[in-house]
Amino acid sequence: METLTFGSITVDAVVDGELKLPFGRAFRGFDATSFARYGGIEGDTIDALLTTFVIRAAGRTILVDTGQGADMGAMGAMGVGGSCGLLPGALAHAGITPERVDIVICTHLHGDHIGWNVTATDEPRPMFPRARYIVSRTEWAHWSTIADPAVTRCIRPLEAAGQLELVADDHTVLPG
C-alpha cells in the first residue's frame, strides 16, 4: 500500500487485484510494442492494477471506486485474465472496516470500478452500510437505461437501500 499526504489529507492506494487484458481489446489499433517501454506488457497482454483510493479527510473515510469484486464475471468471458477480490482484505490490512467508510465515489460505472459496492452474496446489499455512494447524474443518465449486469448487481441495491446519491459533475465531496 502506498500513502500520500497533503496537509491533513491522507490518500492510500489499495489493490483489489490485477487484470491481464488482451492488448488489442484495450487499445484497438495500437501495436503492443509501442507501449512496451512503459512496462506491464507481457506478450499480447497488458497488466492493469485494480486500484481503489482511500482518502481520509475532515474525519471522514472516502473510497474512490471499489474494484472488480469477488470474481472476474463478464471480464473473464471476454478473455481477461488475472485476479481480483482482494479489496476487503486490503482494507482490513489498512485498518478500515466496512462500517468506517462514509463515502464511496464511483468515478464511472464500469464493472471493474463498482464490484465491491455490494457484498458477494446471492442477495447483494451495500458493502459499506453507512456510506453514501456518489455517482454523477451524467453517468447515471447513461447507465440507468442500459441492461448492464454489473450496474444491476452493484448499483441497483444501493438505490433500493437509499444510499445512492446522484450529484452534478462539479460536485464537491468535502472542502479541500
Side-chain angles (χ1 to χ4, degrees):
M1 178 170 64
E2 260 187 65
T3 300
L4 296 173
T5 302
F6 305 92
S8 63
I9 299 171
T10 302
V11 180
D12 293 312
V14 295
V15 176
D16 185 41
E18 179 180 36
L19 299 180
K20 295 194 173 290
L21 303 163
F23 190 86
R25 289 190 82 117
F27 299 100
R28 287 177 170 56
F30 289 93
D31 180 350
T33 58
S34 62
F35 282 78
R37 68 182 167 160
Y38 300 109
I41 305 280
E42 295 177 24
D44 64 347
T45 63
I46 185 167
D47 296 339
L49 290 178
L50 295 163
T51 305
T52 294
F53 294 100
V54 178
I55 302 171
R56 294 180 186 148
R60 303 277 176 87
T61 301
I62 303 164
L63 301 185
V64 180
D65 292 333
T66 61
Q68 176 69 33
D71 61 56
M72 294 298 281
M75 297 282 268
M78 295 178 355
V80 175
S83 63
C84 61
L86 305 178
L87 185 63
L91 291 174
H93 181 72
I96 300 167
T97 64
E99 295 76 23
R100 286 196 53 218
V101 175
D102 300 294
I103 300 168
V104 176
I105 299 170
C106 301
T107 61
H108 62 287
L109 302 183
H110 285 165
D112 59 330
H113 289 254
I114 61 173
W116 283 113
N117 282 356
V118 296
T119 56
T121 59
D122 289 338
E123 292 294 324
R125 58 182 167 70
M127 178 73 150
F128 306 100
R130 295 186 329 98
R132 294 182 356 235
Y133 290 78
I134 296 176
V135 174
S136 88
R137 283 189 192 99
T138 304
E139 185 73 2
W140 184 245
H142 171 75
W143 288 99
S144 65
T145 62
I146 298 172
D148 181 83
V151 170
T152 299
R153 177 171 173 68
C154 300
I155 298 294
R156 294 293 183 185
L158 309 176
E159 187 179 35
Q163 290 177 248
L164 181 64
E165 182 177 336
L166 303 179
V167 299
D169 290 344
D170 63 351
H171 176 73
T172 299
V173 177
L174 290 175

